[in-house]
Amino acid sequence: MSDGTYRWSQKTKKWKESSSQNKGKFILWGLVALVVVIGLFTSFYTVDDKQQAVVTTFGKVTDITEPGLHFKLPFGIQQVHPVDVNVYQKIELGYTTDASGKVVGETGESTMITGDYNIVNVDFFVEYKISDPEKYLFSSNSPELILKNLIQSQVRNVVGSSSVDSVLTDGKENIQMQVKDLVTQILQEYDIGLTLIDVRIQDAEPPTNDVIEAFKNVETAKQSAEAVVNEANAYKNAQIPMADAQVDQLLQNAEYLKQKRINEALEQVAMFTKMYDEYAKNPDITKSRMYFEAISQILPGVKLIINTGNGEQVDMLLPVDPFVEAETNVGG
């Protein structure tokens, strides 16, 4: 009995040892398989089309990958930090909006003092994007907060050097440009991986209703003035062609009269030249003729009698009828 019991105990012991070894091998292979699966799952990563991924190896940046499927060393040896680089992001100063873009609240960030010591509420909308994912992740602790504080500082700087009229009416575009230029210049110096896209004034108004109403009246008056100016310009544009036509007509008439006077003068010069040529040929006869013509024009009813100079015969040349009559009288 004791011998049989001993043999049974030996067999049981061997079976238990064999079973323990099998369990250990199973656990070991299971761990190996688990490690392989984990390694496979942690060796690949995907970058979205709007992102870039910064890859670090033991905490040091070793690569920046573009959108697509990529391989990396598993088990935390390499870490992947995806960054939205192709997305316009926003900062709202003075107000907050919900997901649909509806204004849900206001903040005290919009209250500012202008250069002429007036208080205004100015809301700004800022667009920016990540230009360098590595610097964005590791150059500063909170780049968005830095950008927001920088914009607030420059906004107050520019508004503080502007008049209240320009802030509330026609100077908004100039203020936006100044803020954008200043912030862009300082961002280049800070080099935190952000690029400013746009700065816009969403709303600008005085803090009280009375002042708001006064500025509305001013704006209405300006619009009315612009309407009157536009009407005047329209009338001017309509009258200018008519005036130009009249000017052309007057110029043409003046040119015609000038040419007419020139032609008349040339005609008189030609006549005078012709008369002079005739005068040069027979000066005495021409003088007499000119004299007789002048007398006839000055005294149209007079009878002209020409004495030949011999004292006996008198000839009447002008006018013809009196000449014939005079000749008859002389014969009688």
Side-chain angles (χ1 to χ4, degrees):
M1 291 290 293
S2 61
D3 184 55
T5 302
Y6 174 74
R7 289 179 181 177
W8 175 256
S9 298
Q10 287 291 104
K11 290 181 180 181
T12 303
K13 183 178 180 181
K14 289 179 180 181
W15 181 81
K16 288 181 177 181
E17 289 178 354
S18 176
S19 178
S20 297
Q21 291 176 357
N22 290 333
K23 287 181 179 179
K25 291 180 180 180
F26 178 78
I27 293 173
L28 179 61
W29 283 109
L31 291 174
V32 171
L34 181 62
V35 170
V36 171
V37 171
I38 294 174
L40 288 174
F41 275 101
T42 57
S43 296
F44 296 93
Y45 65 96
T46 302
V47 181
D48 189 76
D49 59 352
K50 296 182 180 180
Q51 297 177 331
Q52 287 182 339
V54 179
V55 181
T56 58
T57 304
F58 296 116
K60 182 179 180 181
V61 176
T62 54
D63 194 13
I64 297 177
T65 57
E66 299 296 329
L69 182 64
H70 301 275
F71 173 81
K72 69 179 182 67
L73 297 178
F75 308 116
I77 297 174
Q78 286 187 323
Q79 297 289 334
V80 178
H81 308 275
V83 179
D84 294 330
V85 294
N86 294 324
V87 177
Y88 286 164
Q89 304 189 54
K90 67 179 181 178
I91 296 177
E92 298 167 339
L93 297 177
Y95 68 103
T96 56
T97 59
D98 55 17
S100 63
K102 182 180 180 180
V103 178
V104 295
E106 297 182 356
T107 64
E109 300 167 336
S110 62
T111 303
M112 307 176 192
I113 299 179
T114 62
D116 47 5
Y117 303 104
N118 287 284
I119 299 177
V120 292
N121 294 329
V122 187
D123 297 336
F124 279 85
F125 176 79
V126 179
E127 278 187 327
Y128 70 95
K129 64 182 296 187
I130 299 171
S131 57
D132 190 324
E134 179 181 352
K135 293 178 180 178
Y136 171 75
L137 291 173
F138 302 110
S139 293
S140 61
N141 289 330
S142 182
E144 284 88 356
L145 181 59
I146 294 175
L147 177 60
K148 182 175 181 179
N149 291 335
L150 177 59
I151 292 172
Q152 283 183 308
S153 173
Q154 297 308 315
V155 163
R156 295 182 182 279
N157 180 25
V158 174
V159 172
S161 60
S162 305
S163 66
V164 65
D165 289 337
S166 63
V167 175
L168 297 177
T169 55
D170 57 355
K172 295 180 182 179
E173 184 175 353
N174 185 40
I175 293 173
Q176 294 171 173
M177 293 177 59
Q178 290 186 54
V179 172
K180 183 178 180 181
D181 292 341
L182 291 172
V183 173
T184 299
Q185 181 179 355
I186 299 175
L187 274 181
Q188 291 176 351
E189 298 175 1
Y190 285 0
D191 199 17
I192 57 176
L194 297 180
T195 297
L196 183 64
I197 303 299
D198 193 17
V199 177
R200 295 195 303 270
I201 295 178
Q202 288 293 95
D203 191 19
E205 60 182 12
T208 63
N209 292 329
D210 293 339
V211 180
I212 292 174
E213 190 65 27
F215 273 99
K216 285 183 178 179
N217 294 334
V218 171
E219 191 65 24
T220 301
K222 288 184 177 179
Q223 293 176 358
S224 300
E226 290 177 358
V228 173
V229 171
N230 292 335
E231 290 178 0
N233 289 331
Y235 177 77
K236 180 188 72 174
N237 295 332
Q239 294 298 317
I240 285 177
M242 297 174 60
D244 291 340
Q246 293 178 357
V247 169
D248 291 338
Q249 184 177 3
L250 291 174
L251 290 176
Q252 291 177 3
N253 292 336
E255 185 66 23
Y256 168 76
L257 293 174
K258 181 186 77 172
Q259 194 63 39
K260 182 180 178 182
R261 293 290 179 87
I262 291 174
N263 294 334
E264 290 176 351
L266 292 175
E267 182 180 358
Q268 292 177 1
V269 169
M271 291 177 61
F272 179 80
T273 303
K274 190 68 175 177
M275 291 175 63
Y276 178 77
D277 292 340
E278 295 298 326
Y279 171 78
K281 293 178 182 179
N282 299 289
D284 293 335
I285 295 176
T286 304
K287 285 181 181 179
S288 299
R289 180 180 175 180
M290 293 175 65
Y291 172 76
F292 296 150
E293 289 178 352
I295 292 297
S296 298
Q297 291 178 1
I298 296 172
L299 302 171
V302 76
K303 293 181 180 181
L304 183 62
I305 299 173
I306 300 175
N307 187 359
T308 58
N310 53 13
E312 296 179 355
Q313 184 178 359
V314 177
D315 296 329
M316 181 181 293
L317 297 180
L318 295 174
V320 178
D321 292 339
F323 171 75
V324 175
E325 181 180 357
E327 187 177 11
T328 303
N329 293 332
V330 173

